[in-house]
Amino acid sequence: MEISAYDDLAGQPVSSTYLELWCRTFDESFVTLSKPREMAFHSGFTGQRAERQWKDRLKSLRDLGFIMLEEGPSGPFSYALVLNPYQVIKKLYDAGTPGLRADKYNALHERAIEIDDDSLAPPKCSRLPT
């Protein structure tokens, strides 16, 4: 996946935060965010502002539509649902979202074809025209 496109779209480096979430997902694409300091560290943030920077990246990913965030026992950033990145990128590309370069979208499309992911394919016709 052309993950640097995420950084281009956000205007800041969010790909390491996305990758950390992705690595913690399983079949349901649901992630519990109960260890913010640890997750910030694994996303590449250290120091006093690590958690704040990590939360800022989560907000950017949410605003772009890559994840959904819900509140819970750990506050407003307790849970994340990681959405299908191919579908999110397609929606952003179709909307003409600034920052999404055509070459990176095309590379993503090529990669989807290589791995037999049909998320970017046009919808299939359910019946033949008469």
Side-chain angles (χ1 to χ4, degrees), residues 12-123:
Q12 62 181 336
V14 296
S15 56
S16 62
T17 300
Y18 183 83
L19 188 58
E20 172 61 15
L21 292 174
W22 184 266
C23 289
R24 291 176 182 260
T25 63
F26 295 97
D27 292 336
E28 303 84 24
S29 298
F30 180 81
V31 183
T32 301
L33 308 176
S34 60
K35 299 178 181 179
R37 175 92 83 202
E38 176 184 312
M39 294 180 83
F41 177 81
H42 289 292
S43 296
F45 304 108
T46 58
Q48 292 180 339
R49 299 181 320 178
E51 286 184 54
R52 186 179 62 169
Q53 289 175 309
W54 175 72
K55 287 178 181 179
D56 286 344
R57 299 318 190 270
L58 288 176
K59 288 178 193 174
S60 291
L61 289 167
R62 178 202 56 206
D63 294 346
L64 287 167
F66 288 105
I67 64 172
M68 295 173 68
L69 295 170
E70 291 295 331
E71 61 182 73
S74 299
F77 299 91
S78 291
Y79 307 107
L81 181 65
V82 180
L83 303 174
N84 182 323
Y86 289 121
Q87 291 175 348
V88 174
I89 290 279
K90 181 173 184 353
K91 181 179 176 182
L92 294 170
Y93 184 78
D94 290 345
T97 304
L100 183 53
R101 295 178 11 200
D103 61 339
K104 290 189 179 185
Y105 178 78
N106 292 335
L108 180 70
H109 201 279
E110 179 182 4
R111 181 66 181 137
I113 292 169
E114 287 175 1
I115 63 172
D116 290 328
D117 187 303
D118 62 358
S119 298
L120 298 175

